[in-house]
Amino acid sequence: MWELLICFMATVAFAIIFNTPFRLLGRIGMIGVLAWTVYSFIQDINVSFIAAAALAAFSASLMSYGLSRRHRVPVTTFAIPGIIPLVPGGKAYETMLAFVDENYIEGLTQGVATMLHAGAIAGGVVFALSIFSIGRGIDQRYET
Amino acid sequence: MAEKGRLVDLCLFAGKLMVTYGAETYRAEDIMNRMAVAGGLKNVHSFVTTTGIFLSGIQDNGDNLMQMIRIVDRFQDLNKVAEVNQLSRDFVLGRINEQEANEQLIKISAARMNYPLWLIYIASGVAGGAFSYLVGNTKFDMIPAAMGGLMSTLFLVLFQHYLHAKFFSEYLASFFGSIIALALLHSGYGSNVDQVIIGTIIPLVPGIPLTNSVRDLMNGDFISGLGRGAEAALTALSIAAGVATAVSLFLP
């Protein structure tokens, strides 16, 4: 519970840094909480962090698309702060530290893990995007 | 010529605001196309990259119109993106005319951030502290992480204002933020170096270029996608270099 409150605070803080409209701050925080809940729950049942990141990003951006339809704002307003709790900051830092220590094997390992984590988040976001553009015809580009 | 030229100016202005403040490429192209068609141009094509915008069309008398505009600076302000989006919707539906749209765009572009600067500093402090808790689960480390996050954003704004060199000021901001976090650690606040440093640099993370780069690439806008990707990668590299300098100097 404490962790979810912290996660809400982090997401809302990022929403303020990115200067999103005031009336949407609460909903953006809820998206961050959803992403974090999915992410930690899937890791708790012993699934790898890559699948967890992909599923969390997918659910967060699905909710972002739904909310952006309802409030008639661009979807980036919700999606960018919403997936911020998933950002692999820790892994990126470990990579950098290993390279500074001239520990190149460890650095490469952590670097590949970071890339996979970021790629999983991107995959989740794009998958939600393509679900929302089903049925718009082949010529249509992605919407919302 | 003159009136359609004003319409093209309006569309380019809207597109410039969109790209400058962090919208995706396809959204900028989409609103420019829609506004130009609603204003009476035919055969409209727009081409948006991260650093410049092109728009071409054919007038009623058969003359071609083609203009471009250069984008120099890019900031993060999603409120302006939402407002320009709403304005283009109003313009396409005919609720406002060209004159009013132009006035509103000028008003939007001159508007200040809708949060005061001190609130943004506090928010980055909160973001740093909260993130260090999410990464490492120790409440004691939240204080130096929050302090470091606040100071790194403070330094970023300061250096951007005086240096006008984006990547160098990000480097300096992460360097000085990490130094302050490490100094707090050495004087006894906080226990874990990793979490404190992560909380310090997390407000500088290039979230908007990164996300937009992926979406542009998946959408087929390869030039702007690669441009934004390069921007995000350079920012990340500057931050990492700043932290690396601080850590290698002050961590025995």
Side-chain angles (χ1 to χ4, degrees), chain B residues 118-130:
Chain B
W118 56 266
L119 188 62
I120 291 176
Y121 293 145
I122 290 177
S124 37
V126 169

Side-chain angles (χ1 to χ4, degrees), chain B residues 125-171:
Chain B
V126 169
F131 222 88
S132 81
Y133 180 78
L134 286 182
V135 171
N137 269 328
T138 49
K139 284 169 198 160
F140 190 47
D141 287 334
M142 284 172 75
I143 305 156
M147 200 60 210
L150 198 156
M151 291 316 281
S152 57
T153 311
L154 200 74
F155 279 123
L156 181 67
V157 173
L158 196 75
F159 289 131
Q160 288 269 35
H161 188 257
Y162 285 110
L163 290 180
H164 296 289
K166 187 167 183 292
F167 299 118
F168 188 57
S169 49
E170 273 154 356
Y171 169 80

Side-chain angles (χ1 to χ4, degrees), chain A residues 81-141:
Chain A
I83 59 172
I84 277 283
L86 306 174
V87 165
K91 290 198 185 66
Y93 171 74
E94 297 284 341
T95 309
M96 193 271 309
L97 203 64
F99 278 121
V100 169
D101 284 346
E102 300 184 10
N103 192 350
Y104 298 121
I105 304 291
E106 175 67 17
L108 285 178
T109 315
Q110 292 285 352
V112 171
T114 312
M115 296 296 285
L116 282 175
H117 195 142
I121 295 174
V125 171
V126 170
F127 195 53
L129 185 98
S130 41
I131 279 188
F132 261 77
S133 26
I134 285 177
R136 294 184 180 275
I138 265 175
D139 291 340
Q140 282 285 332
R141 312 228 287 173

